[in-house]
Amino acid sequence: MGKADALQYFIENEVEAKNLEGLLALEAYFQTHKDELISDFIHSFRRLCRKIKHMQAQGKKKKIGTITYSMLRTELSEGRPIYLLDAYDTSWFLDRIECQDEYHAGWAFQFLDVVENDLETISKTYMGTITIPDIERIKLQLAEKYNQYVVSLARYAMPQAIALPEYAEIEKEEELDILVGEYFDTSEIVYKEDTRVKDAEETKEWLEEKHQYEYAYEVFANLDLSHGNYEEIDLRYANMKQSDLSRSSLRESLLLGTKFTDCKLQGTNFSHTMISEADFSNSDLAGATFYDAEGSVGLLEGEPWRMPGFVPTSFAGANLERADFEEANLQGAIFIGANLTATNFKGANLKNALFSEADMRNVKLDEQQRASIIWKP
């Protein structure tokens, strides 16, 4: 077997299996420890904000329009899983005034190191056709999948990060993006801020046109969008905070990670929607319908690894009086502090969902549901 054939066989029969083991181990670690892991991320964000404020006070830095967390492949190849933090003005990469810090993502890439070590051991059985440089190149090719967990952690940490007083104190543009990805390469938005004044009627008309790919990650906060027809719309990771979407229809919509915090959502129809990672905290959802909604946590059951598993959907502190969750998949969802008066959970999957002990008597659940949920003091 020649070098090329041996390498192809090695990738298909050894690398793919070992990499899957590494990703599944990282998935389990991430889901178990994500609340602890955000501490270091927030510390790195705080440090950068302090540097920004200091440079702005000295007149060396303009208003910030972009903050990036960039995976450095050169560092990764040397065993240092370092992300470079950069703060830019509106000129982005053309902003030559450096304002930088570092974030160490060893928690994620330790699993890639295990994969690398296992592959090195296996390669010894290939009679010298698979070399250490081959494995190093393979490692760098696999790195993007492990980077996706840093993206997920960053997005999960953002609500706490942007609540820091150090962030409030820096001068920002009306539009600000925070991205995580590769250095001068593909990155993903984990937070978008847009304080421009928007016209509610114009925004509603635009949303009802239901364009593909145009609303994801956008900010639609503090707007009256009530009585709207938004069926089958893609609002993944959009920010609807404090908006009024009451009596609207979002049937069969993609609401992955959408922020509905402090919203008016009375009587809104969320039937057959994808609501994994969505945040409905402290919203009024009286009479809302979530029939057959998909809001599970972790990896999708029965599917191979394609992306990091979802963090829990949250209804913490929400008013769910007369809300209908019949046949919804709410595995791992958070209901702590919610008003569950006459809430309908008939046929809903509530495995590992979190409820307050105070709701034990009030919420109507069948025996299987009660045995599968987690009661919190």
Side-chain angles (χ1 to χ4, degrees), residues 130-339:
I130 307 299
T131 65
I132 294 300
D134 290 331
I135 293 174
E136 289 175 349
R137 285 191 292 272
I138 289 169
K139 175 183 179 179
L140 293 180
Q141 291 169 359
L142 299 176
E144 171 52 29
K145 290 181 170 60
Y146 295 80
N147 167 70
Q148 289 179 40
Y149 279 93
V150 181
V151 173
S152 293
L153 182 73
R155 187 177 286 121
Y156 186 65
M158 272 300 117
Q160 293 186 41
I162 62 171
L164 292 172
E166 290 87 351
Y167 178 71
E169 291 168 356
I170 67 174
E171 296 178 35
K172 300 178 281 288
E173 293 287 351
E174 287 184 313
E175 293 183 86
L176 181 147
D177 292 336
I178 300 176
L179 304 101
V180 178
E182 299 207 42
Y183 191 60
F184 286 101
D185 207 332
T186 305
S187 295
E188 189 167 346
I189 296 173
V190 296
Y191 175 74
K192 184 180 184 67
E193 190 165 306
D194 186 351
T195 58
R196 295 175 299 168
V197 177
K198 296 182 176 69
D199 181 272
E201 282 301 317
E202 290 180 1
T203 302
K204 182 178 179 182
E205 289 177 9
W206 183 48
L207 290 171
E208 289 184 325
E209 291 172 1
K210 303 170 188 174
H211 299 288
Q212 283 190 318
Y213 313 121
E214 293 194 16
Y215 313 121
Y217 301 95
E218 294 296 332
V219 179
F220 304 104
N222 300 293
L223 295 171
D224 183 354
L225 305 171
S226 59
H227 297 86
N229 178 6
Y230 311 119
E231 293 185 4
E232 301 182 15
I233 197 170
D234 181 353
L235 286 172
R236 75 185 82 180
Y237 297 112
N239 186 350
M240 319 297 293
K241 185 177 181 180
Q242 296 182 339
S243 283
D244 183 353
L245 288 95
S246 57
R247 307 297 186 272
S248 295
S249 179
L250 288 106
R251 281 175 50 90
E252 300 182 17
S253 294
L254 179 55
L255 306 177
L256 173 62
T258 309
K259 302 296 182 187
F260 288 105
T261 52
D262 301 296
C263 285
K264 295 179 180 178
L265 301 167
Q266 304 96 315
T268 301
N269 189 347
F270 294 97
S271 297
H272 311 289
T273 55
M274 173 61 160
I275 58 170
S276 291
E277 294 196 2
D279 188 353
F280 296 91
S281 299
N282 303 312
S283 288
D284 190 346
L285 287 150
T289 302
F290 287 88
Y291 177 78
D292 194 38
E294 175 60 50
S296 63
V297 68
L299 299 174
L300 292 176
E301 190 172 344
E303 289 197 8
W305 191 98
R306 292 187 298 112
M307 56 184 287
F310 302 124
V311 301
T313 303
S314 179
F315 296 94
N319 178 20
L320 300 176
E321 184 173 358
R322 295 176 289 101
D324 182 5
F325 291 98
E326 186 170 347
E327 300 296 332
N329 186 357
L330 301 168
Q331 184 177 355
I334 301 170
F335 293 94
I336 301 295
N339 176 10

